[in-house]
Amino acid sequence: MKILTDAELAEALDQQIFHTISEAADALGLECYVVGGYVRDLFLERPSNDIDIVVVGSGIRLATALKQRLGRKAHLSVFRNFGTAQVKLRDLEVEFVGARKESYSHDSRKPVVEDGTLEDDQNRRDFTINAMAVCLNAARFGELVDPFYGIEDLEDGIIRTPLDPDITFSDDPLRMMRCVRFATQLRFMIDDDTFSALGRNAERIKIVSGERIKDELNKIMMTPTPSRGIVDLHRCGLLQLILPELAALDVVERRGERAHKNNFYHTLEVLDNVCRRSDNLWLRWAALMHDIGKTRCKRWDQAAGWTFHNHNYVGAKMVPQIFRRLALPLDAKMKYVQKLVDLHMRPIAIADDEVTDSAVRRLMNDAGDDIDDLMTLCEADITSKNEVRKKMFLENFRTVREKLADLKEKDYRRLLQPCIDGNEIMQMFGLTPCREVGELKQALKEAVLDNSVPNEREPLMRLLIDKAKKMGLVCKN
């Protein structure tokens, strides 16, 4: 972090857009300030193209004046119901709002808004590091207004609310998600009093829409180490309300000397492992959900100990319910996550035994274009503290990847899809779509996947006719 004096702030804001805003504000006799994330990121030396301007007076009026000065190269959008306006200039977005004070009712996070002072506006901000303002008027250009010592919290790496955190979070419960998100993104700690208030107000998250919660979750998921945020959500009780299936994994049961691992912390280790390899949001979601079925599948077996048979299948069935509740997309992205949760045990089962061509061909057939992501997830899933066993798995995974690469090179779709299809089978035996056609297709598919018969017309035809005879079917051709 870089500490900036007012003179250095003025230099940092020495851009044409800020000088033009300054001139327009002075011409209208309006006080104006750049506030929030843009100011925070100046000190953190992080790039930002989203500029928020607070005007003591009408934000719409200043935005309109700015548009007139910038001419046709700028685009103005006015939102009169909210008293805000936006000016877009190439890759810059400048949001204007009049300084305001807010009051809330208990059953809504939508405030009653009144005109206010800069102090009122800073009081309503979520965190001290987002409540700093820098004046843009010519007489005070670059002057920092920091009533809650946001600079000190930036230096110390602390997330803290400007006013009483219970009021801040109760008024707008989404701020609880934002608190954890900022702490995760910036790798900051949450102030003790602020964190305690998260726990006291966690139930208030129920009035926030799944859409808003999802947006904050996705931002946490896209950080380099999302486990930090998930742990904070769990510690304060929010995770139990928004993703109880994941929170339920935080348990260890014992029978005598035998205990299973904590699947919650294992899941977070897998998630962070994936994040080191990929920035694919949906692969990260698959990592977060890969073991959610374990709570429902846990059984004690005297001989085997704790088992979680079919947890992949059960977990895959849970994915659509969770996506629907969190307003996550119910399209191909959900199906992708569901597929990876369902298949995540397959490469591990292969790697735990002799890596056969047949098993690899079946895996490629079922995973299709998502095979590389599935392998990344499964490699991340090897978190054993037994280094010998871990090394064995990873070496076997390398063999699996080599066989997969060989299949890809030879065009696995052509290799794994029998050259005789269902239409031809129906024509040969005078059938309409029925169970028998499915059985014959499956027999050809199994033979091709096992590589017991070449995927060529003549040998497959012999197999087909032989199988059909055993089923009592007669070839019509």
Side-chain angles (χ1 to χ4, degrees), residues 209-219 285 326-329:
S209 70
E211 185 79 25
R212 291 303 185 95
I213 292 171
K214 172 260 296 182
D215 289 343
E216 295 300 325
L217 274 176
N218 281 343
K219 289 173 183 176
W285 269 103
L326 293 177
L328 288 159

Side-chain angles (χ1 to χ4, degrees), residues 2-53:
K2 186 176 182 180
I3 300 296
L4 300 173
T5 64
D6 286 357
E8 288 170 327
L9 277 171
E11 186 178 342
L13 296 172
D14 187 18
Q15 301 174 41
Q16 187 58 52
I17 186 67
F18 292 114
H19 288 297
T20 307
I21 294 170
S22 176
E23 292 163 5
D26 284 346
L28 294 171
L30 295 171
E31 268 185 69
C32 76
Y33 302 82
V34 57
V35 299
Y38 192 90
V39 177
R40 177 198 69 225
D41 289 342
L42 278 178
F43 289 98
L44 293 176
E45 299 181 89
R46 299 194 332 164
S48 178
N49 288 326
D50 296 330
I51 302 168
D52 291 325
I53 304 293

Side-chain angles (χ1 to χ4, degrees), residues 183-401:
T184 311
Q185 282 181 329
L186 301 175
R187 301 184 70 83
F188 281 16
M189 300 297 293
I190 300 172
D191 164 71
D192 286 345
D193 289 342
T194 300
F195 192 87
S196 295
L198 289 175
R200 289 192 295 272
N201 292 277
E203 289 284 336
R204 292 280 290 152
I205 200 68
K206 292 177 179 177
I207 72 167
V208 180
S209 70
E211 185 79 25
R212 291 303 185 95
I213 292 171
K214 172 260 296 182
D215 289 343
E216 295 300 325
L217 274 176
N218 281 343
K219 289 173 183 176
I220 291 171
M221 291 289 281
M222 288 308 293
T223 61
T225 316
S227 62
R228 290 173 58 101
I230 304 297
V231 167
D232 278 346
L233 289 173
H234 188 39
R235 285 176 54 228
C236 72
L238 282 168
L239 191 68
Q240 292 84 326
L241 296 166
I242 61 179
L243 202 45
E245 299 87 348
L246 181 62
L249 293 175
D250 185 15
V251 64
V252 175
E253 286 195 53
R254 288 185 173 275
R255 290 285 180 94
E257 296 298 313
R258 302 169 81 173
H260 62 78
K261 66 187 173 188
N262 185 307
N263 288 303
F264 176 72
Y265 289 100
H266 161 73
T267 293
L268 297 188
E269 190 175 351
V270 174
L271 173 60
D272 286 348
N273 286 345
V274 164
C275 293
R276 283 190 280 272
R277 303 267 306 270
S278 173
D279 60 2
N280 178 343
L281 172 63
W282 306 108
L283 178 55
R284 294 178 178 207
W285 269 103
L288 191 68
M289 294 193 175
H290 81 283
D291 274 352
I292 53 169
K294 280 190 169 179
T295 305
R296 299 183 185 182
C297 296
K298 183 167 62 176
R299 301 289 184 272
W300 169 257
D301 181 276
Q302 194 63 43
W306 291 105
T307 66
F308 304 93
H309 295 311
N310 293 323
H311 74 273
N312 54 308
Y313 173 78
V314 172
K317 291 288 187 184
M318 294 165 67
V319 168
Q321 306 161 22
I322 294 170
F323 267 53
R324 190 172 293 110
R325 187 177 71 238
L326 293 177
L328 288 159
L330 300 175
D331 55 12
K333 297 180 179 70
M334 184 272 288
K335 292 188 186 320
Y336 164 90
V337 172
Q338 193 174 26
K339 180 203 277 191
L340 264 58
V341 171
D342 189 23
L343 293 179
H344 82 270
M345 294 298 293
R346 289 273 295 280
I348 293 173
I350 294 172
D352 200 22
D353 203 347
E354 182 185 353
V355 181
T356 65
D357 287 348
S358 172
V360 173
R361 290 164 75 90
R362 288 174 179 277
L363 179 64
M364 175 67 96
N365 175 72
D366 292 342
D369 291 338
D370 300 319
I371 186 63
D372 288 333
D373 287 348
L374 177 62
M375 291 301 297
T376 297
L377 172 59
C378 292
E379 287 161 353
D381 198 13
I382 306 302
T383 62
S384 172
K385 300 301 180 278
N386 182 329
E387 290 302 321
V388 174
R389 183 167 172 76
K390 187 173 182 177
K391 183 179 178 184
M392 181 272 288
F393 266 111
L394 294 177
E395 285 177 353
N396 282 1
F397 275 140
R398 188 169 64 250
T399 303
V400 173
R401 280 195 178 272

Side-chain angles (χ1 to χ4, degrees), residues 93-235:
E93 291 186 6
V94 188
E95 301 276 351
F96 290 84
V97 63
R100 58 194 187 182
K101 54 185 175 181
E102 298 174 342
S103 57
Y104 291 81
S105 63
H106 188 73
D107 60 350
S108 173
R109 55 178 293 268
K110 294 181 180 177
V112 175
V113 177
E114 303 174 67
D115 291 343
T117 63
L118 174 66
E119 180 183 1
D120 290 326
D121 202 88
Q122 289 177 297
N123 286 343
R124 73 179 183 84
R125 298 278 162 176
D126 51 8
F127 307 112
T128 59
I129 62 172
N130 294 335
M132 297 181 288
V134 178
C135 188
L136 293 181
N137 296 100
R140 297 168 53 209
F141 193 86
E143 179 185 310
L144 177 66
V145 183
D146 182 20
F148 305 111
Y149 307 101
I151 285 291
E152 292 182 11
D153 285 343
L154 276 180
E155 281 189 281
D156 295 337
I158 296 290
I159 302 294
R160 184 197 319 270
T161 58
L163 302 177
D164 182 339
D166 284 304
I167 295 173
T168 298
F169 294 146
S170 182
D171 280 351
D172 184 354
L174 183 65
R175 289 170 177 163
M176 294 188 288
M177 296 295 300
R178 286 169 57 82
C179 178
V180 174
R181 188 253 291 181
F182 278 121
T184 311
Q185 282 181 329
L186 301 175
R187 301 184 70 83
F188 281 16
M189 300 297 293
I190 300 172
D191 164 71
D192 286 345
D193 289 342
T194 300
F195 192 87
S196 295
L198 289 175
R200 289 192 295 272
N201 292 277
E203 289 284 336
R204 292 280 290 152
I205 200 68
K206 292 177 179 177
I207 72 167
V208 180
S209 70
E211 185 79 25
R212 291 303 185 95
I213 292 171
K214 172 260 296 182
D215 289 343
E216 295 300 325
L217 274 176
N218 281 343
K219 289 173 183 176
I220 291 171
M221 291 289 281
M222 288 308 293
T223 61
T225 316
S227 62
R228 290 173 58 101
I230 304 297
V231 167
D232 278 346
L233 289 173
H234 188 39
R235 285 176 54 228

